[in-house]
Amino acid sequence: MIQVPGKLPTIRLAHPSERRGRGDRTYMEMKEILNRMLNHEELTREEMKSVLIGITRSEFPEEQITALLTGLQMRGITVDELLGFRDGILETGVPVPLDCDRYIDVVGTGGDRKNTFNISTTSCFVIAGAGYKVAKHGNYAATSTSGASNVIAHHGIKFTDDIDRLNRSINECGIVYLHAQLFAKAMKFVGPIRKALQFPTCFNLLGPIVNPSRPQCQLLGVANLDQMRLYSNVYQKIGIDYGIVNSIDGYDEISLTGDFKVSTNSYERIFKPSDLGFDVAKPEELVAGATEDEAAAIFDSVLENRCLPAQKNIVLANAAFGIQVLERGAKSIEECVEIARESIDSGKALQTFRKFVMLNS
């Protein structure tokens, strides 16, 4: 056995050549971790990073990983524990060094089960059409008709981890798409366990914070205020410019179906749709439809400026808060709404998307 340098002695990960199956010391030390959790102790960021790396090296039996994830879900994961898992995923994954200074990711936690159309992804193209840089990180749908990767692939985009191609995309059209499965290699080690558990685990919280390009800005939609508090603390520790949004009626984005809360580096505030000059939207106006084709048609109609007024307004609202994050709060939200509106009305958002398709197909 070897001790991982710089780690606390509670976790010592075996070198692959030293693994001896379930009777080895690593197996015993995971039991120590589980016992500490049963005693309501919190784990450190470094310990959780070591656990994640150990999982990717197949050093723990599935039964213990299952117990760990179940225990964390029942007790509630801490900020440092979540950051430790994030550190491990980024270290064992494929990095994406982008050669531009400042860009944003717009993403939702998912799991609100509202089956909305691709609001975050559409907003990204509106932001890019307004002249900002975007590195959108996403995956296939888990609980809705169409996730970000679904609607992107539907338009013939080929996912890639080629750094030159990714940099060309963000430099020439202002946006790059990072398909999560190509980069977060650790996720495949817990995939079968997560599927078998049939309930959300802390890995559901990791998607928004493991963008392999490590953006300096992020707009995140969360489904409840507990998640808003958790991610606020996470972003403060990471040290990026952020906006976190939650619709009070449970949407993990600005739905305009009622009041919504926004938390940023500089303020927390509850908004009404009328504060941005918008009417209240009806829930049925947000629905993606029953098929990927229907979801893609709504995505296209927004960029082509021929959608329902509510659909356009919802995208404008989400894009506007993303722009405000990029501007470090220097522009009012009313100004940011108008910047987003001009991106759609001028056709720049659509032109950006067409160029993106040309570069990435």
Side-chain angles (χ1 to χ4, degrees), residues 131-152:
Y132 300 93
K133 302 290 188 182
V134 179
K136 171 64 177 157
H137 182 233
N139 210 334
Y140 293 117
T143 60
S144 61
T145 298
S146 176
S149 290
N150 297 92
V151 73
I152 294 295

Side-chain angles (χ1 to χ4, degrees), residues 15 42 52 54 78 121 149 170 196 211-212 220 234 254 259 309 337 347 352:
H15 187 278
E42 296 178 359
L52 191 285
T78 68
T121 308
S149 290
I170 197 169
N211 184 319
L220 171 66
V234 165
I254 299 170
D259 294 356
V337 168
T352 296

Side-chain angles (χ1 to χ4, degrees), residues 52 55 65 69 186-195 201 203:
L52 191 285
I55 289 172
I65 299 172
L69 297 183
M187 291 298 194
K188 69 180 181 181
F189 291 91
V190 294
I193 295 172
R194 292 173 65 195
K195 186 175 182 179
T201 72
F203 280 89

